[in-house]
Amino acid sequence: MSALSAIRSVVDYDSEVRKISQFMEKFVATGGKKQVMAGADSGSDEAMDMDATEFSPAEASHIYMDMLQKVANRTQDTVEIKLDDVRDFEVQASSSHPPFTFAGSLAFRIENNTKCYVEMFSRAIDQMMPEPDSSAMQDPEADVMDVIYQARRDRDRRDREAMQAVEAA
């Protein structure tokens, strides 16, 4: 009887989730143009790093963070990620780094391993999900949804703690 050998993955999943979180926090759409905010802080009001046209930060829209807020407020129930946005983000972010290569990009890896990256986006979104606005709490069904959501968060936290305890042993 032959044993199956394990294949080691060269993908650092935690690093990929951090890259996804960075993309979702820093990606900005402005007046029909998409850009990356110049600062490292998400939500900063710094001027944007633009090539041709200057826009004020007030015109900037963190579309994915806005989308997460809508999900938290229960006015939207899905988060749609555009692969072109991921590519644009990487091209803009690579302007100060070595040249952008599509074959080594996050967008390429997402395109070639979508099922795995859907899970990673889900993990990043769960970590980044903002609290609902007070206006969302006026919904009569909010109490039930909050109980379900909090139970899920508690379960996920317990699962992470159990995994860490097993790994530490």
Side-chain angles (χ1 to χ4, degrees), residues 43-103:
S44 72
D45 287 338
E46 295 175 331
M48 294 184 350
D49 183 21
M50 302 291 287
D51 293 332
T53 311
E54 289 293 323
F55 292 100
S56 71
E59 295 174 353
S61 171
H62 288 87
I63 59 174
Y64 292 104
M65 293 307 293
D66 293 346
M67 201 179 296
L68 290 182
Q69 189 62 58
K70 288 177 184 176
V71 170
N73 293 343
R74 296 178 192 89
T75 59
Q76 183 173 331
D77 59 2
T78 58
V79 177
E80 182 180 322
I81 308 295
K82 295 182 179 170
L83 200 52
D84 288 340
D85 290 349
V86 176
R87 280 190 195 105
D88 292 346
F89 175 79
E90 289 183 297
V91 168
Q92 287 293 324
S94 71
S95 64
S96 61
H97 300 296
F100 173 76
T101 59
F102 179 68

Side-chain angles (χ1 to χ4, degrees), residues 85-123:
D85 290 349
V86 176
R87 280 190 195 105
D88 292 346
F89 175 79
E90 289 183 297
V91 168
Q92 287 293 324
S94 71
S95 64
S96 61
H97 300 296
F100 173 76
T101 59
F102 179 68
S105 71
L106 178 62
F108 179 79
R109 292 189 301 276
I110 292 169
E111 194 169 6
N112 288 294
N113 193 1
T114 305
K115 184 176 180 180
C116 184
Y117 278 88
V118 166
E119 176 62 29
M120 284 189 255
F121 268 95
S122 297
R123 285 176 43 199

